[in-house]
Amino acid sequence: MNQLRIGTLAGLFAAAFGLCWAGAGLWDSMGNTLPAVPLLAPVVLALIAAVLLGTALSLRARLRAQRERRPDARPVDRMSAARAVVFGQASALVSALVAGAYGGFGLFLLLERMEVPNRRDQALYAGLAVAAGIAVVAAALYLERVCRLPEGDEDNPTGPMGSRA
């Protein structure tokens, strides 16, 4: 499984940012009403970040207990850890796109439509969505780091993730 690259995530963010900023400008210049930023956008992204962080902290504690050979240590299933990492990677990629889109739309609102009171709120929601998207990316990178195998341990069936089932 390939590791996430920050450059890839930043590129996705920048591409979505530029496309949405330009798209919002084009849409507005044609006399159309801009869509609203949903209030739940930052909430959903923050919940995903919380789930990823909770999973990472749980796996880290279980792996630490297993390394220290505590008698109450529950082994970590390799497939469960791999699924968590895949979920984290997918969440990070989508969140980079979504955060970039909300960032571009929010910047357009800040530069062009700040005189409309409703659009100030929309710009705030967009900014919160960007912050929550960045939190998802950070939590996903942390989860990936927690679940990384030590160097040369891919062939060891009884490594830190426990025995193969």
Side-chain angles (χ1 to χ4, degrees), residues 11 18 31 38 54 81 87 89 105 114 134 151 161:
F87 174 65
Q89 287 181 344
F105 188 69
M114 280 305 286
I134 292 170
E151 293 298 321
M161 295 289 188

Side-chain angles (χ1 to χ4, degrees), residues 11-29 34-35 37 94-112 126 130:
L12 286 172
F13 178 88
F17 186 94
L19 285 173
C20 282
W21 178 70
L26 179 65
W27 189 259
D28 188 56
S29 71
L34 291 170
V37 176
V94 171
S95 293
L97 284 171
V98 169
Y102 282 126
F105 188 69
L107 180 65
F108 177 79
L109 292 175
L110 284 174
L111 296 177
E112 302 294 328
V130 170

Side-chain angles (χ1 to χ4, degrees), residues 61-66 68-76:
R62 287 174 61 187
L63 288 171
R64 179 180 294 150
Q66 195 172 345
E68 294 172 356
R69 302 195 188 281
R70 293 186 202 154
D72 62 339
R74 291 186 356 213
V76 175

